[in-house]
Amino acid sequence: MRVMVQKFGGTSVATDESRALAADRVAQAVEAGWSVVVVVSAIGRKGAPYATDTLLGLLNGVDPQVSPAPRESDLLLACGEVISTVIFAQTLRARGYETIALTGGQAGIITDYEYTNARILEIQPAYLLQQLGTGRIVFVAGFQGATERGAITTLGRGGSDTTASALGAAVKPHVEHVEVEIYTDVDGVKTADPRIVKDARTLTVASYAEVSEMAHQGAKVVHPRAAEIAEIHDVPLWVKSTFDEAPGTL
């Protein structure tokens, strides 16, 4: 089995049009012979009904003087990714593909109890691999896992990148080959912030350390934890755009 883990950010699944383009990327991988795991972020950004910041604002708005319990915050915030995962799975199902949608916990992601910024302790990939073996596309809610007692946790901002990279590392010992693709609204890792430097170039190749350092310095293209996990487990990590056919950055 050759496994491709594809992660799509909130802007990639925010509208019918963007979901169609993202679905094209998934379909292309399937038709190329990959067994595909799709990791999805919450739909849209602040203001969108199910975006993480929108849900957080709803919770904090109950009484601004009383901070929500972190455990309950995670329980609510995880809903955004669950919604987008099911919607995106249905998008591919409507195209004739067999799909299954999983929460992070159902995908075998076990974390510590550090609510709102949990660390992955281990991933038990047996069920995910079983579903891939039946020919299904497996959709996994990003940004989340579960404690050993089943409490839902979230992995901190940018945690869906971490989900994708960690799943790639977890399945690697059990398959012939694995790669991870992070899909965003830019066509790869740039030499500078394209919002500031209009002619910033897209790098063809970047080291894990370079990307991790850029992320620590504020670049939002890949979460540093995702780059670190990929480096430790020697998993090829790509950064590509949902919205064009550019080759991206390896």
Side-chain angles (χ1 to χ4, degrees):
M1 194 187 305
R2 296 167 63 245
V3 173
M4 179 68 76
V5 182
Q6 296 181 315
K7 179 263 177 177
F8 294 92
T11 56
S12 296
V13 293
T15 65
D16 291 342
E17 293 77 13
S18 61
R19 280 194 294 274
L21 291 172
D24 288 343
R25 304 287 176 259
V26 178
Q28 288 165 5
V30 173
E31 300 308 321
W34 293 93
S35 297
V36 180
V37 178
V38 179
V39 175
V40 188
S41 296
I43 293 175
R45 291 176 176 165
K46 187 175 183 179
Y50 311 115
T52 299
D53 284 325
T54 303
L55 295 173
L56 191 59
L58 180 65
L59 183 61
N60 289 329
V62 173
D63 187 340
Q65 303 304 313
V66 180
S67 297
R71 181 187 181 280
E72 276 64 58
S73 293
D74 275 3
L75 188 61
L76 176 64
L77 297 184
C79 294
E81 275 70 21
V82 172
I83 291 168
S84 58
T85 298
V86 173
I87 294 299
F88 197 30
Q90 180 64 10
T91 302
L92 270 295
R93 182 177 175 81
R95 294 192 179 196
Y97 294 95
E98 289 294 323
T99 65
I100 184 170
L102 305 176
T103 66
Q106 289 170 336
I109 300 174
I110 309 300
T111 75
D112 61 17
Y113 286 80
E114 191 67 32
Y115 296 108
T116 74
N117 194 31
R119 291 274 179 168
I120 297 173
L121 299 177
E122 64 172 317
I123 297 181
Q124 301 169 355
Y127 184 65
L128 185 148
L129 289 167
Q130 178 190 22
Q131 293 303 310
L132 288 176
T134 68
R136 288 188 173 99
I137 304 171
V138 179
F139 291 77
V140 180
F143 177 63
Q144 64 183 253
T147 68
E148 59 184 3
R149 294 187 179 181
I152 293 174
T153 55
T154 65
L155 307 179
R157 295 290 177 160
S160 293
D161 288 355
T162 304
T163 300
S165 190
L167 286 173
V171 303
K172 183 181 177 182
H174 308 282
V175 300
E176 179 184 349
H177 184 65
V178 64
E179 295 189 13
V180 175
E181 294 179 334
I182 306 291
Y183 281 92
T184 71
D185 52 6
V186 296
D187 64 359
V189 179
K190 300 283 189 177
T191 54
D193 187 337
R195 293 169 298 183
I196 300 171
V197 181
K198 298 303 181 184
D199 58 351
R201 293 183 296 105
T202 301
L203 299 173
T204 304
V205 178
S207 73
Y208 297 107
E210 288 169 338
V211 171
S212 181
E213 180 64 22
M214 291 169 68
H216 278 299
Q217 295 299 325
K220 300 183 184 301
V221 66
V222 178
H223 194 284
R225 235 185 261 179
E228 290 159 6
I229 291 170
E231 180 176 23
I232 290 168
H233 296 276
D234 195 24
V235 174
L237 181 67
W238 292 87
V239 178
K240 298 184 176 184
S241 172
T242 304
F243 305 101
D244 63 47
E245 298 283 352
T249 302
L250 172 62

